[in-house]
Amino acid sequence: MRFASFLAGPDGIAYVRGEGPVGTFQAILKRDVQAGWRKVWGEGDGGSNSCAIGARHYAWALQLLRTYTATPDAIFPGIVARTGDLQRLAKTEPDVQCVGDLDGGPN
């Protein structure tokens, strides 16, 4: 399992990647003093979503990480390149299934 976090005062953000009985997963967790840690973004094995949906999901995560650090790849390795790849695919092949099960992220 991989875990990286960034704390800004009482609030923080973390990225976790691991493997469980149903496959691999990755998630972004957010901490606030009142609620503790909660998952705000995730992707796992299983079903799949289109490149267009994946591009929006990853762009949201990238923007969230940038509110904590100027170097999002330091928390979530490869997110900058993955977001760019999905955005390019969303323009050329928006309906192709590019990402797994998505959770959280943009509404």
Side-chain angles (χ1 to χ4, degrees):
M1 182 176 308
R2 182 189 191 299
F3 180 80
S5 67
F6 182 84
L7 301 175
D11 296 330
I13 194 136
Y15 167 77
V16 62
R17 179 180 181 94
E19 192 169 323
V22 294
T24 62
F25 67 91
Q26 56 188 352
I28 295 175
L29 310 174
K30 196 171 173 186
R31 182 181 81 173
D32 93 24
V33 174
Q34 302 300 321
W37 288 99
R38 65 184 174 87
K39 182 169 75 167
V40 295
W41 181 98
E43 180 183 13
D45 286 346
S48 57
N49 287 283
S50 72
C51 295
I53 292 170
R56 187 172 61 246
H57 192 71
Y58 270 78
W60 184 90
L62 182 58
Q63 182 60 37
L64 175 64
L65 292 173
R66 284 185 172 144
T67 65
Y68 286 85
T69 179
T71 316
D73 281 327
I75 296 173
F76 185 154
I79 189 170
V80 173
R82 180 71 171 141
T83 301
D85 291 344
L86 287 169
Q87 289 171 335
R88 281 186 290 285
L89 285 167
K91 289 178 184 175
T92 59
E93 301 181 60
D95 297 325
V96 170
Q97 304 297 301
C98 294
V99 294
D101 286 335
L102 303 176
D103 185 29
N107 296 326

